[in-house]
Amino acid sequence: MPAVIEQKKIINTNTDFLPLDGTDYIELYVGNAKQAAHYYMSAFGFQAVAYAGPETGVKDQASYVIRQNKLTFVLTTPVRPHNEMAEHIYMHGDGVKHIALKVNDASDAWEQTMKRGASSFLEPVRLEDSYGEVVMSGIHVYGDTVHLFLERKNYTGPFMPGYRQWNNPHFQPKDTGLLYVDHCVGNVCWNQMNRWVQFYEDVMGFKNILTFDDQDISTEYSALMSKVMSSGNGFVKFPINEPAEGKKKSQVEEYLEFYNGPGVQHVAMATNNIVATVRELMSRGVEFLKVPNTYYDTLLDRVGHIDEDLEPLKELGILVDRDNEGYLLQLFSKPVQDRPTLFFEIIQRKGAKSFGKGNFKALFEAIEREQAARGNL
Ligand code: FE2
């Protein structure tokens, strides 16, 4: 028996050269990190964790770390002009800069991806303080987006070396049931989807687990294509979208225009109780896309039996879709900044491993109504 187990181990090591333990954190570059942190805490129910800035010896930027269950966001802003971070915000507005992935060996992750053709953002660097050490490295992906590899085996501090604990005993908003990053979607330019699919396959050892073409995802006006890339163990999923030809400007084109290039379109956050989570988020001011009430007239014919009552789903506008393995409930926020770029998805999976293909049409029509209101359709 042990021989068999040993053999299995060897096979796994050979096939997955970049084992990822999930998302460590997502860092956004924003125009005002102090106020953004307050928004994510008050509206989404994150808690204060750590801070780095001029007071901790970081001269040029301020970073606020907030957390809810396994979701960690870092909100970073430059405190001076004329630097890469200030330029990033000028070009892209608020948006995701770093997707940090948990690894066992950040040096190996960097070497494995570099020898397969990655472009280096950060050579492996060891950061130390009295709480232990963290090793970090990073590679460039689409646009100005970066994947960091984070190795924090024995680190016991609040976040990372350079950060100090941050909390406010007078402001600790209740959580909203958000648990972890389910997937993180990138928008890339015309005809670039397959290039990035290839990148994730060749450089990071990901597999293409689902494909949507413009027949699946099109409305009267606009279309897009999407391929879902998954890490070997399925802990990290990156769907990649590109625009497709339609009568009018597609939502991906609108994103690319206002983000000034490729970038993260949405982050999907998982919950175990989407009705409670969405009700709470709405009461705190998070705005969601709304499908017409007629969506619910035929919903149960389409998806069959579901455990949830239909009424609250209809009241909150929650969408449902089914695949061979089960069903999922999902809802999409409106963009969380003035540019029509980054938004969030709230998702509850009940067996389904897919991404809501059956909802695309109703959803994109809702997006187009918003686009038209902005004068961008
Ligand atoms: Fe999604």
Side-chain angles (χ1 to χ4, degrees):
M1 286 302 285
V4 174
I5 293 168
E6 196 53 42
Q7 194 183 15
K8 213 174 173 185
K9 248 187 191 168
I10 291 166
I11 289 168
N12 282 343
T13 315
N14 282 343
T15 52
D16 197 356
F17 58 84
L18 183 64
L20 301 174
D21 293 330
T23 306
D24 191 290
Y25 68 86
I26 291 178
E27 181 166 16
L28 290 88
Y29 281 178
V30 295
N32 186 333
K34 187 174 219 168
Q35 290 192 5
H38 190 275
Y39 170 72
Y40 285 101
M41 290 168 71
S42 60
F44 284 87
F46 284 77
Q47 294 297 316
V49 171
Y51 170 80
E55 300 86 342
T56 67
V58 182
K59 288 212 161 45
D60 295 332
Q61 68 185 66
S63 294
Y64 296 78
V65 183
I66 55 174
R67 181 170 293 148
Q68 181 167 187
N69 297 303
K70 288 184 177 166
L71 277 162
T72 304
F73 286 174
V74 181
L75 301 150
T76 293
T77 201
V79 297
R80 296 164 197 275
H82 312 304
N83 53 62
E84 176 268 332
M85 196 181 288
E87 179 67 11
H88 195 281
I89 293 166
Y90 176 73
M91 290 298 289
H92 305 303
D94 290 4
V96 172
K97 175 66 181 177
H98 300 131
I99 300 170
L101 304 167
K102 282 184 204 177
V103 295
N104 256 329
D105 186 336
S107 307
D108 187 58
W110 185 84
E111 278 159 25
Q112 294 292 340
T113 51
M114 286 300 290
K115 80 176 179 201
R116 289 172 170 84
S119 148
S120 179
F121 171 78
L122 177 69
E123 287 187 25
V125 51
R126 193 171 296 275
L127 307 167
E128 279 177 274
D129 66 10
S130 57
Y131 296 106
E133 62 177 49
V134 166
V135 184
M136 187 158 76
S137 62
I139 58 171
H140 292 279
V141 291
Y142 47 81
D144 286 328
T145 316
V146 165
H147 289 339
L148 294 175
F149 301 118
L150 245 288
E151 171 191 341
R152 48 167 88 245
K153 274 181 198 148
N154 304 310
Y155 193 71
T156 58
F159 181 56
M160 275 206 293
Y163 286 78
R164 72 176 184 203
Q165 194 181 5
W166 165 53
N167 66 21
N168 176 351
H170 306 293
F171 182 59
Q172 295 181 334
K174 210 168 101 258
D175 88 41
T176 60
L178 296 172
L179 300 172
Y180 56 87
V181 176
D182 184 276
H183 59 274
C184 192
V185 180
N187 280 343
V188 300
C189 296
W190 288 95
N191 306 316
Q192 293 298 300
M193 177 179 69
N194 286 328
R195 179 196 152 199
W196 287 103
V197 164
Q198 196 78 44
F199 172 90
Y200 280 106
E201 282 174 355
D202 294 349
V203 175
M204 296 185 69
F206 279 41
K207 299 265 178 299
N208 174 210
I209 56 166
L210 274 174
T211 296
F212 306 107
D213 64 20
D214 48 351
Q215 300 305 311
D216 295 320
I217 318 183
S218 71
T219 63
E220 188 190 346
Y221 294 128
S222 66
L224 67 88
M225 294 195 282
S226 188
K227 287 189 176 177
V228 181
M229 304 308 294
S230 171
S231 64
N233 58 17
F235 288 178
V236 176
K237 291 186 210 75
F238 293 139
I240 307 291
N241 298 334
E242 74 173 25
E245 215 56 69
K247 275 192 205 162
K248 296 197 179 180
K249 188 187 286 179
S250 82
Q251 50 166 309
V252 178
E253 280 180 280
E254 189 196 32
Y255 175 100
L256 294 169
E257 181 183 332
F258 283 85
Y259 199 75
N260 263 306
V264 172
Q265 180 208 41
H266 74 267
V267 177
M269 305 189 285
T271 170
N272 281 336
N273 185 346
I274 195 166
V275 170
T277 294
V278 167
R279 199 182 288 286
E280 190 61 36
L281 292 171
M282 276 183 184
S283 76
R284 298 181 192 201
V286 179
E287 296 177 307
F288 291 95
L289 289 174
K290 188 90 173 82
V291 294
N293 274 344
T294 51
Y295 171 88
Y296 296 91
D297 296 348
T298 54
L299 178 65
L300 296 182
D301 300 333
R302 192 160 59 76
V303 301
H305 172 78
I306 55 172
D307 303 334
E308 293 72 15
D309 290 334
L310 198 56
E311 236 3 83
L313 301 182
K314 189 172 172 177
E315 175 204 338
L316 300 169
I318 293 167
L319 310 172
V320 189
D321 195 28
R322 184 178 286 280
D323 64 21
N324 294 334
E325 293 168 274
Y327 69 97
L328 63 82
L329 304 108
Q330 63 187 167
L331 187 54
F332 296 83
S333 81
K334 292 187 181 180
V336 291
Q337 59 290 307
D338 293 298
R339 298 194 198 197
T341 51
L342 176 70
F343 60 87
F344 290 96
E345 173 181 351
I346 312 299
I347 185 165
Q348 181 178 6
R349 293 187 181 277
K350 301 193 96 168
K353 296 207 175 73
S354 51
F355 293 82
K357 176 175 157 180
N359 291 323
F360 288 167
K361 193 169 160 57
L363 190 64
F364 295 161
E365 284 169 354
I367 292 176
E368 283 165 12
R369 283 193 292 277
E370 300 279 320
Q371 258 182 274
R374 291 189 284 264
N376 293 333
L377 187 65

